[in-house]
């Protein structure tokens, strides 16, 4: 075509003759080190030379620049100037080419094309300049943030040093007072002991003198006077010597104290994470007020009708803001505003009804049925494990991206175990429950909160037999509420540590078990959503409550 002939004209404009043999044929090479044009034959000779064998030889058009004046702008087929550009064929053409081969094509002239390309280029440059300006502003903001953080760090370190010095000074002062108190008490005891010692020494001297006098006088007595003398000495002199009781003063007790870390934290301070906005367990009145406001004013932000192929079964929110929805035969990923279906991924046969779904920290979703599969954020399904004939049910993800699923080994057997897997599908350990597991979730401490019930044959639950139990990783029972109502088929834990649950029947209620110490002390509340029935619930990264009802999604504010 015309553009190819233009390349040929450019090639002829560059090539004149070989710089070694002056031959004008087959001049296809250029030596960058010698700055010479070479034909095919001279190229071989050039590379055989010892001093030139390592030179850089490139094709002639890459080595010699094409001078603009030497390039032909004429169509070689019609010898006419190129005036048009055919968008359909993506080539430059002359008027004859236009009339012969491009009559119904999308054609524009060079001037319009040049203006259009110039506008596009300027627009693209403007966008990038704006991005550079924004990046520059962001860098300035980050530098300000860094400087502010450093200044704040210095200021806070100074405050901590001052507070530590004040505490050290107070401790030294208190220690000095304590030593003075000990010295005063000890001196008092020593003075009392020395006074009693003097009294005892005086009484001892009196005893010694009396006994010595009696011994001297007894040698002077005759046989006839000895008996009266002894009687008189015993009852008159010796019995008159009364023994003196001496009380030993009780010494003051002193015990070495221990460092109280909580007290030190109260005196110096501690770091409160801005990511954890959960109120303290000790301030339960605030939690009560927060819940009362929430329960009385559930503010619905938006309602979306989901344009999906199949019915919806489960929902979970991804850390990146998108929403995963488990359906019948498919797993869907939709945007945070529910306006766009990002992915529609078919489930395998054993996962036809995706009733149980959870999300990893990476943004991938995991779905359980007979085993569980992983659905990546870019729209792929990865079959992780198949536990058939065991059937998996509720699913949750730990902070380390380990995957916990409840399961039963036979079709009609009760669900009494939770298996923990790595995200690659390697089984880690098994947690066993004495009662049948209706649902479970992981609380803010990573412990397993399980709603259990005693079941009869064929899996029917007995009345008034549900329990809410907290287990650790080894299956040890930490807390337990007996006769807990209602039985929950789905549970999630919010960022405050409260547990939200859906009842065993499809209804309009959502139950909240508030986080307040042990399970026995927790309060159970509920609120009703104006809808037909709630299929599933979750809380997204913006702390919004997402309520799924088949193919409708309600978005509501949650505990703000």
């Amino acid at each position: 075509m015309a553009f190819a002939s233009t390349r040929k004209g450019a090639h002829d404009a560059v090539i004149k003759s070989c710089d070694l043999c002056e031959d004008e044929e087959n001049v296809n090479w250029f030596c960058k080190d010698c700055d010479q044009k070479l034909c095919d034959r001279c190229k071989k000779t050039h590379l055989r030379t010892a001093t030139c064998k390592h030179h850089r030889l490139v094709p002639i058009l890459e080595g010699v620049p094409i001078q603009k004046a030497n390039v032909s702008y004429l169509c070689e087929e019609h010898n006419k100037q190129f005036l048009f550009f055919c968008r359909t064929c993506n080539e430059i053409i002359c008027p004859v080419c236009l009339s012969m081969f491009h009559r119904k094509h999308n054609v524009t002239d060079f001037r319009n094309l040049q203006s259009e390309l110039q506008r596009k280029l300027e627009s693209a440059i403007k966008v990038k300049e704006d991005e550079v300006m924004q990046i520059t502003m962001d860098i300035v903001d980050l530098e300000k943030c860094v400087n502010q953080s450093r200044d704040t760090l210095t200021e806070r370190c100074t405050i901590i040093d001052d507070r530590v010095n004040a505490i050290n000074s107070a401790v030294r002062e208190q220690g000095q007072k304590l030593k003075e108190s000990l010295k005063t008490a000890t001196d008092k005891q020593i003075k009392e002991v020395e006074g009693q010692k003097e009294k005892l020494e005086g009484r001892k001297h009196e005893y010694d003198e009396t006994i010595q006098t009696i011994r001297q006088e007894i040698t002077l007595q005759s046989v006839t006077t000895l008996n009266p003398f002894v009687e008189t000495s015993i009852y008159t002199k010796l019995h008159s010597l009364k023994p003196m009781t001496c009380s030993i003063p009780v010494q003051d007790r002193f015990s070495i104290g221990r460092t109280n870390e909580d007290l030190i934290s109260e005196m110096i301070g501690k770091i409160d994470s801005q990511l954890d906005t959960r109120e303290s367990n000790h301030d339960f009145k605030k939690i009560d007020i927060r819940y009362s406001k929430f329960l009385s004013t559930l503010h619905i932000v938006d309602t979306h009708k989901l344009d999906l192929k199949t019915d919806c079964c489960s929902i979970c929110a991804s850390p990146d803001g998108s929403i995963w929805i488990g359906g019948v035969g498919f797993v869907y990923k939709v945007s945070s505003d529910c306006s766009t279906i990002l992915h529609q991924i078919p489930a395998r046969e054993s996962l036809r009804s995706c009733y149980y779904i959870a999300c990893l920290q990476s943004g991938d979703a995991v779905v359980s049925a007979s085993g569980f599969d992983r659905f990546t954020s870019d729209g792929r399904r990865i079959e992780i494990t198949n536990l058939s004939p065991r059937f998996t049910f509720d699913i949750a993800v730990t902070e380390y991206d380990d995957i916990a699923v409840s399961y039963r080994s036979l079709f009609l057997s009760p669900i009494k175990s939770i298996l923990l897997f790595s995200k690659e599908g390697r089984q880690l350990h098994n947690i066993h429950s004495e009662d049948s597991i209706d649902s479970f979730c992981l609380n803010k401490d990573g412990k397993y909160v399980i709603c259990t019930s005693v079941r009869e044959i064929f899996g029917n639950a007995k009345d008034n037999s549900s329990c809410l139990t907290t287990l650790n990783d080894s299956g040890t029972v930490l807390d337990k509420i007996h006769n807990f109502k209602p039985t929950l088929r789905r549970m999630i834990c919010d960022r405050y540590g409260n547990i939200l649950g859906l009842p065993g029947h499809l209804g309009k209620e959502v139950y909240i078990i508030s986080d307040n110490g042990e399970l026995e002390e927790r309060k159970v509340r509920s609120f009703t959503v104006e809808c037909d029935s709630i299929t599933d619930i979750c809380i997204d990264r913006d702390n919004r409550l997402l309520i799924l009802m088949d193919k409708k999604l309600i978005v509501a504010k949650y505990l703000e």
Side-chain angles (χ1 to χ4, degrees), residues 211-372:
I211 293 172
Q212 185 65 25
T213 301
I214 292 174
R215 287 186 184 280
Q216 290 176 357
E217 292 178 354
I218 198 171
T219 57
L220 302 176
Q221 302 301 321
S222 61
V223 176
T224 56
T225 61
L226 181 59
N227 186 52
F229 175 77
V230 171
E231 294 291 335
T232 302
S233 297
I234 291 175
Y235 291 101
T236 303
K237 295 181 178 182
L238 294 179
H239 280 192
S240 64
L241 297 174
K242 301 296 183 182
M244 179 180 177
T245 59
C246 179
S247 60
I248 303 298
V250 179
Q251 293 186 351
D252 293 332
R253 296 182 61 187
F254 173 74
S255 59
I256 298 176
R258 297 180 179 178
T259 303
N260 190 322
E261 295 182 359
D262 292 336
L263 183 59
I264 293 175
S265 297
E266 291 179 4
M267 291 188 293
I268 297 179
K270 62 182 179 180
I271 297 176
D272 292 326
S273 174
Q274 296 180 358
L275 298 176
D276 185 8
T277 57
R278 184 177 62 87
E279 287 83 354
S280 170
N281 288 337
H282 301 290
D283 198 1
F284 189 58
K285 291 182 179 179
K286 290 185 178 179
I287 297 179
D288 280 344
I289 294 173
R290 184 185 67 199
Y291 266 94
S292 62
K293 290 181 179 178
F294 169 69
L295 297 177
S296 61
T297 59
L298 179 62
H299 179 59
I300 296 178
V301 177
D302 208 346
T303 301
H304 304 278
K305 185 171 180 58
L306 303 173
D307 187 16
L308 304 178
K309 281 186 175 181
T310 59
D311 293 339
C312 302
C313 305
S314 55
I315 185 172
C316 70
S318 173
D320 62 6
S322 58
I323 302 169
W324 286 96
I325 297 175
V328 179
F330 290 89
V331 173
Y332 305 94
K333 185 179 182 182
V334 299
S335 58
S336 58
D337 59 358
C338 300
S339 62
T340 306
I341 301 175
L342 303 177
H343 298 296
Q344 179 177 290
I345 313 167
R348 60 180 160 120
E349 189 64 27
S350 58
L351 289 170
R352 296 302 296 173
S353 297
C354 303
Y355 288 113
Y356 310 96
I357 190 169
C359 198
L360 301 174
Q361 299 297 325
S362 61
D364 296 353
V366 284
V367 177
S368 75
S370 178
F372 60 94

Side-chain angles (χ1 to χ4, degrees), residues 500-518:
L500 281 71
L502 298 177
H505 59 279
L506 291 176
K508 307 177 183 180
E509 299 85 5
V510 177
Y511 289 84
I512 304 179
I513 301 99
S514 61
D515 176 28
N516 182 44
E518 305 299 325

